[in-house]
């Protein structure tokens, strides 16, 4: 009669893998984002702008000004400077002159090995420094560990004890009469316990701001040596004598 309950060849059996229907739900573990406020607002709803309140400003101290320590120029008014036109003399501008090589700076006679075919030349270098043979340590450089005492290596040592010196505190040599006398104490300042009178200090004299750099005087200029804006006589330089039998250096320029 039990076989007539089931239709077909299927019979109930244990599943091969995990099925979610066999497990219960996690319950109220997940929270829905709120729709009120600004922090952690749900992204599916519109969020209105949020404003914050600022705290009260700090009260300014009554003695925040430095006092009459700054010297204000009498020619500076509320609307600006009340000064006439002032002019200053600057130094002469230095022009950069480039030094070009002259005819005596070239040596065409040394260009033979670069223009004509020449035999290969070799140089002899110095002898290389070989390794020292006696650079390894000798037998006297090694020392075997001690086998006696507490500092043995690889051996079992017996417990060792040391004798400590006698302490001077509480012994017969301790002098208990070495106490400080009246001269060892300093007198306390009266202004610590009583009212202190006001004290004032004198500051140094304030120097007005200005340019302290050294300016050239009339003797530092030399108008008679100027040749950049005035006519100058022609200057001719002498070259070197070349040989008529030496082929000149010809460089092909494509």
């Amino acid at each position: 009669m039990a076989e007539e309950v089931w239709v077909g060849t299927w019979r109930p059996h244990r599943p091969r893998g995990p099925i979610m229907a066999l497990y219960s739900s996690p319950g109220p573990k997940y929270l829905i984002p709120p729709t009120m406020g600004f922090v952690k607002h749900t992204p599916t709803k519109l969020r209105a702008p949020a404003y914050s309140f600022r705290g009260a400003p700090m009260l300014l101290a009554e003695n925040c000004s430095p006092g009459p320590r700054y010297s204000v120029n009498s020619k500076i008014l509320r609307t600006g400077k009340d000064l006439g036109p002032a002019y200053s003399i600057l130094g002469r501008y230095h022009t950069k002159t480039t030094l070009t090589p002259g005819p005596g700076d070239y040596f065409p006679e040394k260009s033979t090995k670069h223009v004509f075919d020449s035999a290969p030349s070799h140089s002899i270098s110095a002898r290389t420094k070989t390794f020292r043979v006696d650079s390894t340590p000798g037998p006297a450089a090694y020392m075997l560990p001690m086998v006696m005492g507490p500092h043995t290596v690889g051996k079992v040592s017996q417990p060792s004890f040391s004798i400590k010196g006698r302490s001077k505190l509480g012994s017969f040599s301790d002098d208990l009469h070495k106490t400080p006398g009246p001269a060892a104490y300093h007198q306390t300042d009266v202004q610590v316990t009583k009212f202190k009178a006001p004290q004032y200090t004198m500051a140094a004299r304030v120097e007005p701001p200005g340019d302290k750099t050294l300016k050239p005087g009339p003797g530092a200029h030399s108008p008679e040596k100027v040749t950049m804006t005035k006519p100058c006589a022609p200057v001719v330089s002498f070259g070197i004598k070349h040989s008529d039998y030496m082929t000149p250096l010809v460089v092909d320029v494509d």
Side-chain angles (χ1 to χ4, degrees), residues 2 10 12 14 19 65 67 71 73 78 99 102 111 119 124 132 136 154 166 170 183-184 188 199 202 208 213 222 241:
W10 182 88
R14 185 180 297 276
I19 300 176
S65 63
S71 177
N73 193 357
R78 179 175 55 86
L99 298 177
S111 61
I124 302 175
R132 295 183 58 184
T136 57
R166 187 188 298 273
T188 307
Q199 298 178 356
M202 298 178 64
T213 57
S222 302
K241 184 179 293 185

Side-chain angles (χ1 to χ4, degrees), residues 158-227:
Q158 298 297 329
S160 57
F161 304 93
S162 61
I163 302 175
K164 190 177 181 182
R166 187 188 298 273
S167 178
K168 293 183 179 181
L169 182 61
S171 63
F172 63 92
S173 62
D174 189 9
D175 189 2
L176 301 178
H177 295 283
K178 292 181 179 180
T179 57
Y185 300 96
H186 299 281
Q187 185 179 2
T188 307
D189 193 1
V190 184
Q191 297 180 357
V192 177
T193 57
K194 295 184 178 182
F195 291 101
K196 184 179 180 181
Q199 298 178 356
Y200 304 94
T201 58
M202 298 178 64
R205 181 175 295 177
V206 180
E207 297 182 0
D211 190 6
K212 297 182 180 180
T213 57
L214 297 178
K215 305 296 188 301
H221 305 281
S222 302
E224 66 276 1
K225 298 181 180 180
V226 177
T227 59

